[in-house]
Amino acid sequence: MKRLAPLLAAGLLGAAVYGFLRWRRPGAPPAPASAFPVFEDRAPAAGVDFLHRNFPTPEKYLIETMGGGAALLDADGDGDLDLYLVQGAPPPQDPSPRPPNRLFRNEGGLRFRDVSGESGAAGSGYGQGCAAGDADGDGDPDLFLANDGPDLFLRNLGGRFEDRTGSSGLGDRGWSTSATFLDADLDGDLDLYVARYVKVEYATHPRCLRAGRRGYCHPDTFEGLEDLFYRNEGDGTFVERGREGGVALAGPTEGKGLGVVAGDFDEDGLPDLFVANDSTPNHLYRGRGDWTYEDVALVAGVAYSAAGRAQAGMGTDAADFDGDGRLDLVVTNLNQETNTMSRNLGGGTFEDVTETSGLAAVSLPWVGFGAGFFDADDDGALDLLFVNGHVVDNVEEVDTGQTYRQPAFLMRNRGKGTFEDVSARAGPVFGKRRVGRGAAFGDLDDDGFVDVVLTSVGERVEILRNGGVPGRHWVSFRLVGARSARDGLGADLRVTAGGRTLRRCSKSGYSYLCASDPRVHVGLGDATRVDRLEVRWPSGRIDRLEGLAADRGYVLLEGREGPVP
Amino acid sequence: MRGFLLAAAILGPPPSSPQDDAAAIAAGRASLDRNDPAEALRHFSSVLARKPEEPGALQGVARSLLLLGRFEEALVPLDRYARAVPDHAGVRTMRGYVHHRIGKAREAEADLRRAIELQPESAGAYAVLAQVLRGTSRTDESVGLLRKGIERCPRDAEIRQELGESLALLGRDREAEPEFREALALDPGRVEARFRLGTVLERGPRPGEAIAEWERVVREKPSHRGAWYRLARAYAAAGRAEEGRAALARFREISTLEERQEALRNRLKAYPGDLAARFELAEALLSLGEPAAAIGWLIDLPDDPATRGRTLALFGRAELALRHFESAAAILARAKALAPEDLSVRLDLARSHLGARRLGPAAEEVREVLARSPGNAGALALETEIGALPATRGSGR
């Protein structure tokens, strides 16, 4: 009940399902199956002028090439997504002040206002990734900032952030990268998984050569750092239990984590974790439900490439792209490796479908980072976006087939688990070259089509507004847990509409260094209503609803089944 | 040129190397035909020491270095050759390949296209150019190029394999399968074509046929990591749990060695002067059964008194693995003189003598080892082996 108090105060509990008005184009005829939206960069017009600074030096510190993340979160509780952006920092010998991380408040109409100064969310250290989640269960999302240097935990107090790193126990030093909140022990509050990269200090940073020139070191030069896994004690503190959980793997050929995503891959009701590692085998940690995990990646077939080689895993996402109800995986990798697409066959095994899905030839030449499945055209099939950018800033000098700046790609799901490259018709933003790193996904203008925020090394952030496809329908769900964690992260939704059932999950931490919209967006294609909705909450409770009208958003309260208003 | 000349300085020409340039080049080519680039390098280097611009020797040195994985160094003789003979299709092809391997895609493409212009039957140029095209977002174009190559060189297995690769990468498995099969019909020893054929068959789904292909791959190349990996998974899926576990164990064993080796290679790219890494890499390659590659990482070590003993010991072990018993014995005798207490060197020397059928010297080394280490298992095994052989004298090779 404690958790629901703010909702009661807001008067929301009166309705089992609460619809909030969204954009709609009434009467638009069904779109042809091949119709696809055009994306356009609206960052300047939206008032988002964030320039990432990586502070490149002749020393070629590896951190300079890793980029910074973004979080899409409703920081001020007004129902729309605000935007938080993570900044780099000068090296110790550079006396320049560290530019702050920035928070942009969504003013509606895809206009943002910089509220960094008043928000208390400036950050510190060399910023890498961020995770957003209602860790204290008070109804608004808190922020975890993964840094090279002490991490930060910022508690959200109604739109203003307060640094609670010290009291929370989340200020570990070392090089943290991507992180995700999840209720690992299903006790109703959010725990935190932090992927960490390599062991290196500025003072002892090695000097590496590439083809005789000074360049960024290969990760093999370093020892991997063990990931961190924090248990939320429910009193504002976290305790690191990675070693106890069996996830604290480190060493020359272990760890080096850059991407992480949580999901129930084996459908046993317990959250699992997939970690993409750079040049070492990936991990698929199967949760046993007692805070211990077993790495089943090798047996499952997702530790290595199809040729049995560890790849340079960067970003990752998990979603049911082939519509069989199981969570599949994508991992972005280095050029000449291809990104890797793995289809979940059930029974604890995956099949590498990189080539047959259509991803191999497209991704082979590029260095992939941020990636995510999302229904770009609201046709009910999850499409795939991935951003690229080389890690070597002078790569053109040593490798004439490569460029530092690289294009992003958008792959349309043809509906049978195969993809086609539609970048050329999805807007000039996909032809543009950038040193791509982060990609965060969310419906920033609440128009029913998912937009994408891209972060790049040393470049301006981009907000790719999704122009949509007239005639396509959708629904969106904001989850509110009661016995489950307050923001319902980890809930599984089965949405039946237009004769098919789609599985979608409530998640925020995936891609690379980023936190995305925690709301569950579902493209419905031509269907104008959801016939049936089943919500499997992390608590184990299953709620069922029927007859939801399309083209609007809903708040789903755990345990409150009932008719659609 | 520094690397191979230093190697030649350490090792000198092979004992049987002819003084006559033409004969030495012929000997080098014969070594290459036997897949022995280390020895070929020494033959060709002996010619270049006398005639620095001898085209046959330059080409031979380049091929040897290329086979030893020393791509950057291979460019030096190739550039020198190309300056003298700009329009030699074979050299253009080889240089295109080297450029491709060191990431110079534009230069590679120019060389390979020119090679095809000069000689439209340059099968290797089609194959490597296809790899360049795939790596630069032109996989579709590579398919057209390779089909053209097949028209010109219908009996070339490599072009067929590359076409299979391009088609598989595009997910066109039905078209890829016959290309891999044709490559194998033309050259049954192409393990990568067989491995990829297995991949396509598994997706068929024809897992039984895939398993048969991968089993053949590991018979032909027992250190094929990918085939063990796929076998482990395929056996498990077929309910052959025990075989699956055994394949997984083998995969893990090879992976550990190869991952360490890859890490060392990457470290050496960043720190070319890290001698400890270089020695460790050579040892890892020897453990993986790749003595020629091990030599590739030893040939440009400076002749430093502090490391000479270890260098010679590793060279000797690599020569022994290549069954160059005479050469191994000569090198290991030098290593033994520098480190008389190193029992592993003495055992390798005994094995070299044994390989050359010099039983007396072999037995003498074994006795020395047993005197210092009475229960030495390796020495005891050799003692038994020597005792079982009739006493003969002869030379190895």
Side-chain angles (χ1 to χ4, degrees):
Chain A
M1 204 57 194
K2 178 190 78 175
R3 297 177 183 290
L4 296 180
L7 277 175
L8 282 166
L12 295 181
L13 204 55
V17 179
Y18 174 81
F20 54 96
L21 188 63
R22 291 288 188 87
W23 171 92
R24 187 177 180 188
R25 287 181 183 150
S34 61
F36 206 79
V38 170
F39 289 76
E40 190 182 0
D41 179 18
R42 290 289 186 84
V48 177
D49 60 350
F50 179 84
L51 171 68
H52 178 258
R53 294 188 61 197
N54 66 322
F55 293 93
T57 66
E59 303 304 314
K60 301 284 183 194
Y61 298 120
L62 187 54
I63 186 82
E64 298 165 7
T65 194
M66 303 307 286
L72 304 182
L73 72 169
D74 183 7
D76 54 5
D78 65 355
D80 55 25
L81 289 173
D82 307 303
L83 174 59
Y84 186 76
L85 295 160
V86 180
Q87 188 56 279
Q93 68 270 25
D94 182 343
S96 319
R98 179 198 188 275
N101 297 351
R102 287 169 74 186
L103 177 63
F104 292 89
R105 183 189 158 143
N106 193 335
E107 304 276 273
L110 209 61
R111 291 284 312 167
F112 289 81
R113 182 164 65 87
D114 185 350
V115 294
S116 309
E118 63 208 66
S119 71
S124 67
Y126 201 114
Q128 289 281 270
C130 47
D134 189 0
D136 55 6
D138 67 352
D140 48 30
D142 309 299
L143 272 172
F144 172 78
L145 304 182
N147 293 325
D148 179 17
D151 298 326
L152 290 180
F153 177 62
L154 305 180
R155 187 172 173 219
N156 189 341
L157 301 169
R160 260 196 54 76
F161 288 88
E162 194 171 277
D163 187 346
R164 293 287 178 90
T165 307
S167 58
S168 69
L170 291 173
D172 208 282
R173 297 189 67 86
W175 188 341
S176 306
T177 55
S178 292
T180 188
F181 282 107
L182 73 158
D183 186 359
D185 49 7
L186 303 177
D187 65 349
D189 55 30
L190 290 178
D191 311 297
L192 178 67
Y193 192 96
V194 183
R196 298 205 301 172
Y197 196 40
V198 297
K199 205 178 283 184
V200 62
E201 300 285 341
Y202 278 106
T204 55
H205 198 291
R207 298 171 162 221
C208 295
L209 300 177
R210 279 184 181 256
R213 295 175 172 80
R214 192 71 185 276
Y216 294 116
C217 294
H218 189 280
D220 280 350
T221 316
F222 308 97
E223 291 217 349
L225 268 181
E226 68 275 19
D227 294 348
L228 303 173
F229 203 177
Y230 292 100
R231 177 175 166 160
N232 189 337
E233 298 294 299
D235 59 359
T237 68
F238 290 78
V239 175
E240 205 285 308
R241 300 181 71 167
R243 200 170 299 277
E244 185 184 328
V247 303
L249 303 172
T253 57
E254 284 284 5
K256 309 184 186 178
L258 288 178
V260 59
V261 61
D264 184 5
F265 292 97
D266 53 3
E267 294 169 82
D268 62 354
L270 303 169
D272 312 304
L273 282 154
F274 178 80
V275 184
N277 293 317
D278 186 3
S279 76
T280 62
N282 300 318
H283 299 308
L284 176 57
Y285 291 120
R286 180 174 172 270
R288 293 193 182 106
D290 59 355
W291 200 260
T292 66
Y293 286 78
E294 179 187 9
D295 185 4
V296 296
L298 177 57
V299 175
V302 292
Y304 297 94
S305 73
R309 295 189 175 277
Q311 295 178 297
M314 316 284 194
T316 184
D317 190 17
D320 176 19
F321 73 76
D322 57 357
D324 66 355
R326 301 188 189 103
L327 288 185
D328 310 299
L329 275 167
V330 69
V331 183
T332 52
N333 296 308
L334 204 63
N335 60 309
Q336 308 311 323
E337 287 186 336
T338 79
N339 296 339
T340 303
M341 184 92 87
S342 301
R343 185 174 161 247
N344 189 339
L345 302 176
T349 61
F350 288 74
E351 175 189 16
D352 188 315
V353 293
T354 306
E355 292 180 337
T356 50
S357 68
L359 184 60
V362 176
S363 61
L364 182 72
W366 312 108
V367 181
F369 277 91
F373 291 110
F374 73 117
D375 192 351
D377 51 359
D378 277 351
D379 67 349
L382 292 173
D383 309 299
L384 173 68
L385 178 145
F386 59 95
V387 296
N388 306 292
H390 210 284
V391 288
V392 180
D393 58 355
N394 56 350
V395 67
E396 289 91 340
E397 293 171 27
V398 296
D399 185 340
T400 54
Q402 282 291 311
T403 54
Y404 186 40
R405 291 180 170 77
Q406 301 186 345
F409 284 84
L410 187 49
M411 309 284 291
R412 175 180 167 267
N413 190 333
R414 293 192 183 106
K416 292 177 184 168
T418 64
F419 293 79
E420 65 171 321
D421 178 8
V422 292
S423 311
R425 57 189 172 104
V429 286
F430 288 97
K432 179 189 167 187
R433 289 181 179 238
R434 59 181 75 73
V435 190
R437 293 293 183 263
F441 301 82
D443 187 358
L444 285 162
D445 52 3
D446 287 329
D447 66 350
F449 290 95
V450 177
D451 312 297
V452 190
V453 172
L454 303 187
T455 68
S456 305
V457 175
E459 298 185 70
R460 291 190 182 282
V461 72
E462 293 164 271
I463 297 176
L464 308 192
R465 181 181 177 270
N466 184 336
V469 178
R472 294 273 167 80
H473 302 281
W474 56 276
V475 284
S476 172
F477 302 107
R478 180 192 300 268
L479 277 70
V480 180
R483 280 168 52 211
S484 303
R486 174 63 182 273
D487 46 16
L489 287 178
D492 255 346
L493 280 69
R494 262 78 170 178
V495 180
T496 302
R500 58 186 169 169
T501 298
L502 308 170
R503 180 187 180 188
R504 299 288 183 263
C505 298
S506 167
K507 62 182 178 181
S508 169
Y510 57 96
S511 185
Y512 172 75
L513 306 182
C514 287
S516 291
D517 188 350
R519 295 174 299 185
V520 180
H521 180 95
V522 189
L524 299 176
D526 298 340
T528 54
R529 56 184 263 134
V530 171
D531 300 316
R532 195 167 59 254
L533 168 67
E534 184 180 283
V535 186
R536 300 181 185 186
W537 296 88
S539 66
R541 182 185 170 83
I542 298 176
D543 289 337
R544 294 183 179 87
L545 298 130
E546 290 184 351
L548 279 65
D551 303 326
R552 65 192 62 183
Y554 295 86
V555 175
L556 302 178
L557 308 181
E558 182 178 10
R560 302 286 294 182
E561 296 183 33
V564 178
Chain B
M1 300 294 268
R2 174 179 163 268
F4 64 83
L5 290 177
L6 269 173
I10 292 174
L11 296 174
S16 57
S17 192
Q19 281 303 300
D20 169 63
D21 292 342
I25 288 170
R29 286 178 181 153
S31 300
L32 286 175
D33 290 343
R34 285 198 311 274
N35 197 25
D36 188 350
E39 184 173 276
L41 184 61
R42 291 161 66 192
H43 283 298
F44 294 126
S45 299
S46 71
V47 177
L48 287 186
R50 297 188 289 270
K51 282 190 184 168
E53 301 300 325
E54 162 48 51
L58 282 171
Q59 203 176 343
V61 161
R63 272 187 71 195
S64 307
L65 287 167
L66 202 143
L67 291 170
L68 287 165
R70 311 297 301 228
F71 300 110
E72 297 269 3
E73 291 159 74
L75 261 188
V76 179
L78 286 171
D79 282 343
R80 199 185 284 181
Y81 191 106
R83 271 198 297 276
V85 189
D87 281 341
H88 187 293
V91 169
R92 288 276 190 171
T93 300
M94 213 186 306
R95 196 171 69 170
Y97 176 68
V98 171
H99 276 138
H100 169 55
R101 290 300 304 255
I102 63 173
K104 303 279 185 193
R106 267 202 305 272
E107 293 84 344
E109 186 169 349
D111 271 335
L112 295 163
R113 288 202 186 279
R114 182 71 184 136
I116 291 169
E117 269 172 34
L118 292 166
Q119 191 177 323
E121 285 75 34
S122 299
Y126 290 101
V128 182
L129 183 53
Q131 293 174 16
V132 174
L133 294 175
R134 287 200 297 264
T136 48
S137 297
R138 290 176 286 171
T139 305
D140 282 319
E141 190 182 333
S142 77
V143 171
L145 171 88
L146 290 162
R147 290 204 194 283
K148 207 169 96 185
I150 288 170
E151 283 172 22
R152 292 288 191 165
C153 318
R155 305 291 302 159
D156 189 86
E158 194 177 2
I159 301 185
R160 293 279 183 178
Q161 181 180 336
E162 289 299 333
L163 180 55
E165 184 64 35
S166 290
L167 292 165
L169 200 66
L170 289 164
R172 292 159 62 177
D173 285 359
R174 280 190 195 159
E175 295 167 79
E177 182 187 335
E179 299 304 335
F180 287 130
R181 287 198 186 281
E182 184 60 24
L184 289 165
L186 292 165
D187 179 1
R190 304 190 79 82
V191 287
E192 280 314 309
R194 196 171 296 287
F195 174 68
R196 291 294 272 141
L197 173 61
T199 309
V200 167
L201 289 171
E202 190 192 45
R203 295 197 297 235
R206 287 139 73 188
E209 292 174 62
I211 286 174
E213 296 299 341
W214 291 329
E215 283 174 338
R216 188 160 166 191
V217 169
V218 297
R219 275 200 303 276
E220 289 171 11
K221 189 178 178 192
S223 65
H224 198 291
R225 174 161 60 165
W228 284 115
Y229 177 69
R230 302 306 291 259
L231 273 174
R233 295 178 48 72
Y235 283 143
R240 296 162 66 176
E242 190 137 333
E243 290 162 284
R245 276 193 290 275
L248 198 57
R250 184 77 184 112
F251 165 72
R252 282 187 161 130
E253 192 184 323
I254 297 166
S255 281
T256 304
L257 280 170
E258 287 197 356
E259 280 164 16
R260 183 68 192 136
Q261 182 212 116
E262 281 160 18
L264 288 164
R265 280 180 200 274
N266 284 322
R267 179 163 179 83
L268 283 166
K269 275 186 201 164
Y271 301 106
D274 185 338
L275 286 185
R278 196 170 284 224
F279 283 132
E280 194 186 338
L281 178 56
E283 280 172 358
L285 289 164
L286 284 170
S287 303
L288 282 166
E290 295 179 31
I295 288 175
W297 286 98
L298 295 169
I299 52 172
D300 66 347
L301 284 176
D303 189 15
D304 179 351
T307 55
R308 191 182 297 149
R310 194 167 179 196
T311 308
L312 289 169
L314 286 169
F315 256 120
R317 200 187 304 164
E319 289 285 276
L320 177 61
L322 288 163
R323 303 180 66 78
H324 298 165
F325 300 121
E326 293 289 357
S327 169
I331 295 166
L332 288 163
R334 289 174 62 193
K336 181 182 122 179
L338 291 168
E341 297 307 314
D342 188 333
L343 301 190
S344 65
V345 168
R346 283 179 182 266
L347 284 177
D348 283 340
L349 181 54
R351 290 185 187 106
S352 305
H353 285 314
L354 187 60
R357 285 291 193 272
R358 286 194 296 270
L359 302 190
E364 176 61 27
E365 293 302 333
V366 170
R367 270 197 298 279
E368 289 288 332
V369 173
L370 288 172
R372 288 168 169 82
S373 170
N376 188 296
L380 290 171
L382 274 171
E383 188 177 48
T384 307
E385 200 177 332
I386 294 165
L389 290 172
T392 53
R393 275 183 73 88
S395 84
R397 285 246 147 108

